[in-house]
């Protein structure tokens, strides 16, 4: 399967980021008192010299604390869904779905939109104002600096720099805060799509096709 690496990096590889963020004294950010959000995003990855390497656009939905529906429309059509059952990756071009063990949305950078951080010790808060939160946190084995900044009531920019000096900037535009429910994050296999089950309950090492 052709995987959009930059999206997986945002949704998956950075799991350690907010899992280890120290609790804040008070809720932070424009959505601190909300439970749902949906809108659009633009993600740009820059090399160490500031040259853009890739740009991805799409739409997202999020429900506090553990549900994420992340859909890209350019340059590829992909869907990444986290619900109680699993972490689903849907590739529109190849017509396949990969099912993996579920992830905690609380452990992804999208947790920044809620402004309620999990307790931990492997992080240093370097800046916190009404609109900006900056931390140094261990992601995997590397220390990264992550900055979340509200630019008005409906735009949140999250930037991080990895060990190679590459900077990822994800700009979220909140279109609505209308109530969502877990049912809005249920997954149904599209017709004619093949399902690969890679959950630990299947005991798989590689990909197994479920027909």
């Amino acid at each position: 399967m052709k995987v959009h690496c930059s999206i997986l990096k945002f949704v998956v590889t950075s799991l350690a980021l907010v899992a280890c963020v120290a609790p804040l004294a008070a809720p932070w950010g424009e959505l601190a008192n909300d439970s749902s959000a949906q809108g659009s995003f633009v993600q740009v990855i820059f090399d160490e010299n500031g040259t853009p390497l890739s740009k991805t656009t799409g739409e997202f939905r999020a429900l506090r604390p553990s549900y994420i529906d992340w859909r890209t429309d350019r340059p590829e059509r992909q869907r990444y869904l986290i619900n109680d059952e699993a972490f689903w990756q849907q590739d529109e071009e190849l017509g396949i779905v990969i099912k993996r063990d579920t992830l905690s949305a609380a452990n992804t950078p999208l947790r920044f939109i809620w402004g309620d951080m999990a307790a931990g010790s492997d992080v240093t808060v370097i800046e916190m104002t009404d609109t900006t939160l900056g931390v140094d946190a261990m992601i995997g084995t590397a220390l990264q600096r992550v900055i979340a900044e509200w630019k008005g009531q409906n735009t949140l920019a999250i930037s991080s720099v990895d060990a190679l000096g590459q900077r990822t900037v994800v700009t979220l535009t909140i279109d609505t805060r209308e109530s969502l429910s877990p049912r809005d994050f249920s997954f149904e296999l599209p017709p004619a799509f093949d399902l690969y089950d890679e959950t630990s309950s299947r005991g798989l090492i590689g990909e197994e096709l479920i027909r």
Side-chain angles (χ1 to χ4, degrees), residues 65-101:
S66 303
Y67 299 88
I68 296 173
D69 191 354
W70 189 265
R71 303 174 188 238
T72 69
D73 52 35
R74 294 181 181 178
E76 300 170 353
R77 294 181 61 198
Q78 303 265 350
R79 183 186 186 191
Y80 303 87
L81 176 70
I82 299 174
N83 60 20
D84 286 337
E85 180 183 358
F87 168 47
W88 309 86
Q89 181 185 349
Q90 180 176 320
D91 190 307
E92 296 287 344
E93 295 180 359
L94 297 181
I96 66 174
V97 171
I98 296 179
K99 179 182 180 182
R100 298 185 175 93
D101 290 334

Side-chain angles (χ1 to χ4, degrees), residues 48-161:
E48 64 275 14
N49 298 316
T51 302
L53 297 176
S54 66
K55 180 179 179 179
T56 304
T57 62
E59 298 179 345
F60 76 94
R61 298 187 299 169
L63 173 65
R64 188 196 297 264
S66 303
Y67 299 88
I68 296 173
D69 191 354
W70 189 265
R71 303 174 188 238
T72 69
D73 52 35
R74 294 181 181 178
E76 300 170 353
R77 294 181 61 198
Q78 303 265 350
R79 183 186 186 191
Y80 303 87
L81 176 70
I82 299 174
N83 60 20
D84 286 337
E85 180 183 358
F87 168 47
W88 309 86
Q89 181 185 349
Q90 180 176 320
D91 190 307
E92 296 287 344
E93 295 180 359
L94 297 181
I96 66 174
V97 171
I98 296 179
K99 179 182 180 182
R100 298 185 175 93
D101 290 334
T102 195
L103 305 170
S104 172
N107 293 339
T108 72
L110 281 180
R111 180 66 178 272
F112 270 118
I113 71 176
W114 306 127
D116 51 350
M117 305 304 170
S121 59
D122 296 332
V123 70
T124 301
V125 176
I126 58 174
E127 179 182 9
M128 187 173 68
T129 69
D130 290 342
T131 59
T132 302
L133 177 65
V135 300
D136 284 337
M138 292 299 295
I139 299 178
T141 60
L143 185 68
Q144 294 191 23
R145 176 158 296 184
V146 182
I147 305 293
E149 181 179 5
W150 282 98
K151 301 177 182 295
Q153 293 184 336
N154 298 312
T155 302
L156 174 65
I158 303 173
S159 65
S160 62
V161 180

